[in-house]
Amino acid sequence: MDLKSLYQEILNEHNLNPSHKGTLESPTLTLRGVNPSCGDNIYLQLKIDENGVIADGTFSGSGCAVSQASVDMMLDDIIGKPKEEALRLASLFTDMIHGTAEDDSELEALEEAASLKNIRTMPARVKCAVLGWHTMEEMLRGGRTEGQGSALHCPAE
């Protein structure tokens, strides 16, 4: 199987059968992420435990296959991890998408999300791929541990 077929298979699986689509009961954080250039719109919910570990997460909303699959892969990567590790993975993912992180051994930490590496060759899809990751970063870097917020990400350039 070539890389393009593998990418398509992973993307389709996460888009058509997402593991984390839904809502959480009593989330610690909820934040809306919007990509105004294409209309992708997600609500990300995370449950953070007393040790700062992401105990659970879900997303809802609508968008293209890339945005939906990417946020589902992101949740696969960050659930069970400390906030600091989730932020490190978000930074690595963003660097990968922008072409500044290409070392395959380093990208292994992203697991299936690394399959989105070639999105950078499709500029219109970059904002879709990073929407969930940017929303998660906004939640965790904002220093909030409870409540709701709204953030517009990936503004039109």
Side-chain angles (χ1 to χ4, degrees), residues 36-134:
S37 66
C38 70
D40 292 339
N41 183 17
I42 64 163
Y43 291 87
L44 182 62
Q45 295 183 311
L46 297 178
K47 193 173 284 192
I48 313 291
D49 73 13
E50 63 279 353
N51 298 314
V53 172
I54 300 166
D56 203 357
T58 61
F59 74 98
S60 60
S62 61
C64 70
V66 171
S67 73
Q68 300 292 287
S70 182
V71 72
D72 195 56
M73 289 182 223
M74 178 198 75
L75 286 164
D76 279 349
D77 285 353
I78 68 168
I79 292 172
K81 304 254 178 26
K83 292 189 295 186
E84 297 77 20
E85 176 64 6
L87 289 168
R88 185 188 76 78
L89 291 172
S91 180
L92 179 60
F93 183 83
T94 300
D95 289 348
M96 175 190 75
I97 292 295
H98 292 296
T100 57
E102 297 189 27
D103 179 6
D104 287 336
S105 63
E106 184 182 16
L107 297 179
E108 284 178 11
L110 294 172
E111 300 180 19
E112 287 185 327
S115 69
L116 299 177
K117 180 179 179 179
N118 290 325
I119 288 287
R120 67 175 168 246
T121 65
M122 300 172 261
R125 293 290 179 216
V126 166
K127 293 176 184 180
C128 305
V130 299
L131 178 62
W133 296 84
H134 282 199

